[in-house]
Amino acid sequence: MKEFKISTIAEYVEHIEKLAELNTYWFRGVPRTKQTPQPGVAWRDLYEDEGGLEHYFLVSYKAYLDTPNLNSWEVYALMQHHGLPTRLLDWSESALVALFFALTSEPNFNGYRCVWALNPFALNEKTIDSARIYCPSILENKNIASGDGNLNLDSYLPPNLAPEGIAGMPSKPIAIQSSQHIKRVSSQKGCFTVHGRKPDHIGSYLNDPASFHMIKIDVRTKSARLKMLSTLQSMGIDEEFIYQDLDSLCNKIKRNHGI
């Protein structure tokens, strides 16, 4: 798997500019290079518990929403964005948002951090033989043509959200767009890969570095990490921008004052 090491925001932006000349990319920031792109259900081996986790969420979640009328895919995205293990994996269309997550997760860890870069069209061409990105939350007809025949996108939904009569879950992951109905998804320019039965990480399907690679962030000291975060903040990428709530505003104020 190809790695590209950077140590400054300028180097990072230069790398992203080169990618933009090649294709469309999605980005995922994580605090440790060993964290391969696998969703929570996969790396925790919770496939057998998925229905139970989902059930308890569905029983209670509407009490916490101002706009409870979400479709099944939006509910699934809500689970993921609030920390419930799912087969969804968060990506962002913004390389800077991904870098922010890489730098702020596990704040006490001093070591190489990582942003994964993915060509979502290449993934879908590899896994479903269709170089297109679908948004299942807005499609009325979820049946799409794939290399194995017709595929219903709702077959990727977890047990309690999938409609009756849907065929078995596919094995390979695909890249999907998310509707921007959920504020947190919208502010983070969120999109997803959704896994099927196989727990393999995204890199298992893509060997070409132009389709998938690691951007290794050299911030092995706290001062180097905070310096990069400060530069990001000067570019408008901070907690308040990412989360758009009062808790994040207060966290930003505390960080700026060294608290």
Side-chain angles (χ1 to χ4, degrees):
M1 180 174 53
K2 186 70 174 177
E3 298 178 3
F4 297 87
K5 190 168 79 170
I6 69 97
S7 56
T8 67
I9 292 284
E11 292 175 351
Y12 184 76
V13 171
E14 181 181 1
H15 182 76
I16 301 306
E17 285 180 337
K18 292 177 181 177
L19 293 184
E21 296 173 357
L22 299 175
N23 215 310
T24 297
Y25 286 83
W26 293 354
F27 304 92
R28 174 172 173 78
V30 294
R32 297 174 186 259
T33 57
K34 67 180 181 180
Q35 290 179 239
T36 53
Q38 287 178 291
V41 161
W43 66 264
R44 290 185 173 94
D45 192 20
L46 294 174
Y47 280 93
E48 297 298 321
D49 300 310
E50 183 179 20
L53 294 169
E54 172 201 2
H55 168 78
Y56 287 111
F57 183 88
L58 294 176
V59 166
S60 304
Y61 82 97
K62 289 187 178 181
Y64 299 93
L65 294 183
D66 295 327
T67 55
N69 296 320
L70 304 177
N71 63 42
S72 294
W73 280 98
E74 290 170 337
V75 172
Y76 200 22
L78 196 68
M79 293 180 188
Q80 171 66 15
H81 272 282
H82 286 278
L84 198 69
T86 73
R87 281 177 290 100
L88 290 170
L89 192 63
D90 302 276
W91 298 79
S92 176
E93 295 176 310
S94 169
L96 294 180
V97 167
L99 180 59
F100 176 85
F101 281 116
L103 294 173
T104 54
S105 303
E106 296 189 32
N108 294 323
F109 170 67
N110 293 323
Y112 287 107
R113 292 170 182 257
C114 166
V115 172
W116 296 103
L118 166 69
N119 177 345
F121 298 97
L123 176 65
N124 285 1
E125 186 172 26
K126 187 73 172 179
T127 58
I128 59 173
D129 198 26
S130 175
R132 297 181 62 186
I133 307 298
Y134 300 93
C135 184
S137 65
I138 65 170
L139 290 176
E140 290 188 12
N141 182 4
K142 310 295 176 64
N143 292 301
I144 64 170
S146 74
D148 299 323
N150 285 333
L151 169 68
N152 191 303
L153 294 172
D154 281 348
S155 61
Y156 278 99
L157 285 168
N160 295 309
L161 289 175
E164 291 185 12
I166 294 294
M169 186 185 299
S171 60
K172 299 176 182 178
I174 61 171
I176 60 172
Q177 281 285 356
S178 175
S179 76
Q180 303 300 300
H181 185 59
I182 300 172
K183 183 178 180 181
R184 182 173 288 194
V185 175
S186 177
S187 65
Q188 297 173 15
K189 293 189 176 295
C191 39
F192 297 105
T193 49
V194 56
H195 277 242
R197 297 190 310 272
K198 288 187 176 181
D200 306 326
H201 74 78
I202 298 299
S204 304
Y205 300 92
L206 298 170
N207 297 319
D208 178 10
S211 300
F212 175 79
H213 62 264
M214 175 196 293
I215 307 172
K216 196 172 181 180
I217 317 297
D218 186 0
V219 283
R220 286 171 288 172
T221 64
K222 181 179 179 180
S223 61
R225 184 178 66 85
L226 292 180
K227 179 180 179 181
M228 196 173 285
L229 269 175
S230 177
T231 303
L232 270 184
Q233 183 173 341
S234 71
M235 301 168 75
I237 307 297
D238 55 27
E239 296 92 334
E240 186 183 6
F241 172 81
I242 296 288
Y243 298 110
Q244 298 187 13
D245 59 28
L246 289 176
D247 288 343
S248 302
L249 172 62
C250 292
N251 286 336
K252 182 180 78 170
I253 293 170
K254 287 189 292 184
R255 179 167 58 81
N256 288 343
H257 286 78
I259 300 174

